[in-house]
Amino acid sequence: MTRPARSLVHLALLGLGFVALFAAGGANAQAVATPEGAGTLFGGLKALAEAGGDKGALSLSLQVLLLMSLLTVLPSVVLMMTAFLRIVIVLAILRQALGLQQAPPNQLLVGLALFMTFFVMQPSVSRINAEAVQPWASDSIPAEVAIARTGDVLHGFMMANTRESDLKLFADMAGSGPFATPDEVPMRILMPAFATSELKTAFQIGVLLFLPFLVIDLVVASVLMALGMMMVSPIMIALPFKLMLFVAVDGWSLVMSSLAASFAGG
């Protein structure tokens, strides 16, 4: 197998093994580093990787299966375990506050949110590549260690951006805790707590963005009412004023810089 193809297989196995980390239930990122915490799913992946006596020597059909399996879980990982959730919600609320229905279109908002996510997550992605993907691709470390290191990086990012109240809520629901250190929080509790915390933060930022545009809508509606122009839509009259205000204060730069600065431990 050529080195590029082998690297793709390594990436696929790493991604699927990382999914096995969460499928293990109560196991956290540290537990996967030991054979006892690997779980049955990871054991099956390791057996596939060692099939034929040559590590990584998989048939073409197994390569396609692993790569396609990785692609099915990758969107969920990007959506729920990175900065994407907060960014895309804030951008959607901003478009609603401006009174624009289809500008920017959904595809552009999602693309912008993805690029912002890559920017915010660059330190974490660089660590995963340097500490897990590249050493595993060069056979320097076993798969168990690569999976554990990948989980540690994302675990640290999510812990840094999750409220303690949300962690306590899901820990109580699961009957777990209290935890002595952040590293002891398992992924099955951290993931929903992180998503809930991100939703709260996104709506808080959205409210702050909405307020100045709401004031413009109220002023325009009051002026039209005082002039007796009740048949004129306040939304159409207020739209150019809101756009002028947003452009005058360099709104896009302010929103993007504020979003990037709102994350901890990127």
Side-chain angles (χ1 to χ4, degrees):
M1 183 184 299
T2 62
R3 185 171 184 81
R6 188 179 182 187
S7 298
L8 289 176
V9 174
H10 284 168
L11 288 173
L13 286 171
L14 180 58
L16 290 177
F18 191 52
V19 175
L21 168 66
F22 307 129
N28 56 20
Q30 297 291 341
V32 182
T34 63
E36 291 79 4
T40 56
L41 178 56
F42 174 73
L45 292 176
K46 187 176 181 181
L48 284 176
E50 296 176 351
D54 181 14
K55 183 179 180 181
L58 301 179
S59 64
L60 180 60
S61 59
L62 285 177
Q63 294 179 40
V64 174
L65 174 62
L66 292 173
L67 291 175
M68 295 306 296
S69 300
L70 174 61
L71 290 177
T72 59
V73 301
L74 186 59
S76 298
V77 173
V78 173
L79 289 176
M80 304 306 297
M81 299 176 62
T82 65
F84 180 84
L85 182 61
R86 182 189 306 184
I87 295 173
V88 74
I89 291 178
V90 170
L91 293 180
I93 293 177
L94 174 62
R95 182 177 65 178
Q96 186 70 25
L98 286 170
L100 302 172
Q101 300 301 320
Q102 297 297 329
N106 291 330
Q107 295 87 342
L108 181 58
L109 283 185
V110 173
L112 183 58
L114 282 174
F115 282 119
M116 279 296 298
T117 301
F118 295 151
F119 176 79
V120 172
M121 298 294 298
Q122 182 58 41
S124 298
V125 173
S126 298
R127 284 187 57 195
I128 292 174
N129 182 65
E131 299 177 8
V133 176
Q134 292 301 327
W136 190 29
S138 61
D139 297 331
S140 300
I141 59 175
E144 299 95 315
V145 177
I147 294 170
R149 291 180 180 179
T150 303
D152 288 342
V153 174
L154 288 181
H155 189 279
F157 172 81
M158 290 190 290
M159 280 297 303
N161 293 279
T162 303
R163 291 179 172 84
E164 292 184 6
S165 59
D166 295 320
L167 279 175
K168 186 177 184 303
L169 170 65
F170 285 96
D172 292 341
M173 292 172 61
S176 302
F179 305 104
T181 62
D183 293 338
E184 294 182 2
V185 179
M187 282 290 191
R188 65 188 180 93
I189 293 177
L190 179 57
M191 290 176 64
F194 172 75
T196 304
S197 183
E198 285 294 280
L199 287 172
K200 290 181 182 179
T201 304
F203 276 90
Q204 289 175 352
I205 297 175
V207 169
L208 295 178
L209 289 175
F210 219 107
L211 287 178
F213 301 112
L214 180 61
V215 171
I216 294 178
D217 286 333
L218 292 175
V219 170
V220 171
S222 300
V223 171
L224 292 178
M225 185 70 69
L227 295 176
M229 304 174 63
M230 292 177 291
M231 300 301 294
V232 178
S233 174
I235 297 178
M236 294 190 62
I237 303 300
L239 179 59
F241 291 100
K242 291 191 287 187
L243 291 178
M244 285 190 294
L245 172 64
F246 192 68
V247 173
V249 300
D250 197 9
W252 285 114
S253 297
L254 289 176
V255 171
M256 295 305 169
S257 60
S258 299
L259 276 174
S262 67
F263 290 95

